[in-house]
Amino acid sequence: MSTTPLAQATRAFNQNRQAEFENRFVNALNEAGMLQLVSLGHRSGLLKRMADGEPITTGELARSSEMSERYVREWLGGLTVSGVVEHDAESMTYRLPPEHALLLTDDGDANLAVFSQYLALMGQVENDVLDAFRHGKGVPYEKYRRFHEVMAEDSGQTVLPALFDAILPLAPELTERLESGIRVLDLGCGRGLALMKMAERFPASRFEGFDLSPEAVDWARGQAAQRGLSNVAFEVRDLSDFDETADAGAFDLVTTFDAIHDQAKPLNLLTGIRRTLKPNGVYLAQDIHASGHHHHDRGHPLGPLLYSVSIMHCMSVSLAQGGEGLGTMWGRERARDYFTRTGFSSIEVHQLPHDIQNDYWVLRP
Ligand SMILES: C[S@@+](CC[C@H](N)C(=O)[O-])C[C@H]1O[C@@H](n2cnc3c(N)ncnc32)[C@H](O)[C@@H]1O
């Protein structure tokens, strides 16, 4: 070990640093408490009930939401001390200010309350993840109750609102081709909301979605039937061997939304995508924006959260399939390397202003 004066000074105990970290940590505990309360408010519908910005008493809110007044009162207490809800002690009323309502309900451009659900979603597998630290074999999808529901709400914020105005126009010819009628495949489609939205908008085109999860595919089929969509189909498929099972030259457009890094065999999937595209086909991929080097990602606006999501979900579900376990923060450099190795010759990457979490790749054979 070095004992130079500089090394000693560097190792010297810094009390200010300790105090700063303590403050930060206490703050984080409080913010985590606020997130849990917001998640409950989102799932119970209480935030939505308060979105009109009118003052309301605990009794009125409980009665109109058909919930226990004791629970509603405790919840409002927590959101009052968090500064999310305003309280008037004289009239004993509570109010969700419009600035907060726009961010925590469907009334605004993006409902941030959706993301607060990840805390509890990941918390439910903490014991399994802890075991996985020892055996190294990941945590299977079955352990995550509500994953596909929350994931569909999440991509409902990042993909759906931007699909027609920002994402598809990244390949300038796509909208016209979709209007005239092409074949489209979405891989790792989850509940398939992006496909259904495109199927509604472009009736001359045909859409297919593949996903490992029978639960997600059942839901997507039910929803497509309910909407009367006859140009979209969903199939349960393990894409780990897509390099061999993909139909050659079958599709004009392939999409993956947040569905490469948590695959078991991402290179096999990408090889299959390249194979299944027609020569003038386009592959649009949304995946996490990161450098892939933690020393560079220190300033990443969602870095700590996304590393936590990686261990608690993305890396773990891939490892549980005997997969590569790339991790959420695999990064642009490795993504570009994978796209090049699987035969894409034109590779463009974009960031869109509405989405700080993802990169948008436009790839052509
Ligand atoms: C992060 S989710 C994204 C879902 C959807 N694209 C969205 O944006 O809502 C990743 C999806 O990949 C699917 N997946 C993971 N491993 C797979 C595999 N081996 N074969 C097929 N799908 C897989 C999961 O079931 C999940 O629906």
Side-chain angles (χ1 to χ4, degrees), residues 141 147-148 151-152 155 186 188-190 211-213 237-240 257-259 262-264 321:
Y141 266 105
F147 171 75
H148 291 289
M151 187 63 233
S155 52
D186 185 32
C189 63
D211 198 281
L212 181 67
S213 162
R237 283 268 286 264
D238 184 344
L239 297 164
S240 304
F257 295 106
D258 195 11
D262 49 8
Q263 287 291 315
Q321 297 177 56

Side-chain angles (χ1 to χ4, degrees), residues 84-258:
V84 174
V85 156
E86 291 168 358
H87 175 50
D88 181 57
E90 212 168 296
S91 60
M92 300 287 283
T93 57
Y94 298 83
R95 174 177 174 271
L96 182 64
E99 298 83 357
H100 295 182
L102 279 181
L103 292 169
L104 298 180
T105 68
D106 292 334
D107 287 359
D109 291 339
N111 183 351
L112 298 184
V114 163
F115 303 102
S116 66
Q117 298 176 93
Y118 281 116
L119 212 62
L121 190 80
M122 298 193 299
Q124 68 184 327
V125 294
E126 190 176 67
N127 288 343
D128 302 285
V129 171
L130 208 50
D131 288 343
F133 266 84
R134 299 192 187 94
H135 60 63
K137 294 189 187 119
V139 179
Y141 266 105
E142 304 83 77
K143 295 279 184 178
Y144 297 81
R145 277 180 292 127
R146 295 191 70 240
F147 171 75
H148 291 289
E149 181 187 344
V150 175
M151 187 63 233
E153 279 192 69
D154 176 332
S155 52
Q157 307 297 312
T158 57
V159 177
L160 296 192
L163 194 54
F164 301 135
D165 295 336
I167 299 174
L168 294 176
L170 291 173
E173 77 281 21
L174 264 187
T175 304
E176 210 179 306
R177 288 180 69 189
L178 282 158
E179 275 162 1
S180 64
I182 55 173
R183 279 190 79 187
V184 180
L185 178 63
D186 185 32
L187 296 166
C189 63
R191 288 190 164 192
L193 292 177
L195 268 189
M196 286 186 249
K197 192 162 175 154
M198 288 192 275
E200 268 162 356
R201 170 81 168 249
F202 305 112
S205 288
R206 283 187 298 142
F207 299 85
E208 286 168 60
F210 299 162
D211 198 281
L212 181 67
S213 162
E215 176 208 325
V217 165
D218 277 354
W219 191 94
R221 284 180 179 149
Q223 187 63 208
Q226 220 171 305
R227 297 187 194 186
L229 290 169
S230 57
N231 60 338
V232 62
F234 296 97
E235 215 180 290
V236 177
R237 283 268 286 264
D238 184 344
L239 297 164
S240 304
D241 58 0
F242 199 56
D243 51 330
E244 288 167 9
T245 58
D247 282 349
F251 290 92
D252 303 273
L253 170 63
V254 176
T255 53
T256 55
F257 295 106
D258 195 11

Side-chain angles (χ1 to χ4, degrees), residues 271-291:
T271 304
I273 293 174
R274 168 68 187 81
R275 210 163 91 98
T276 205
L277 275 177
K278 293 181 181 170
N280 65 345
V282 180
Y283 168 35
L284 266 182
Q286 177 218 41
D287 217 291
I288 302 297
H289 170 79
S291 80

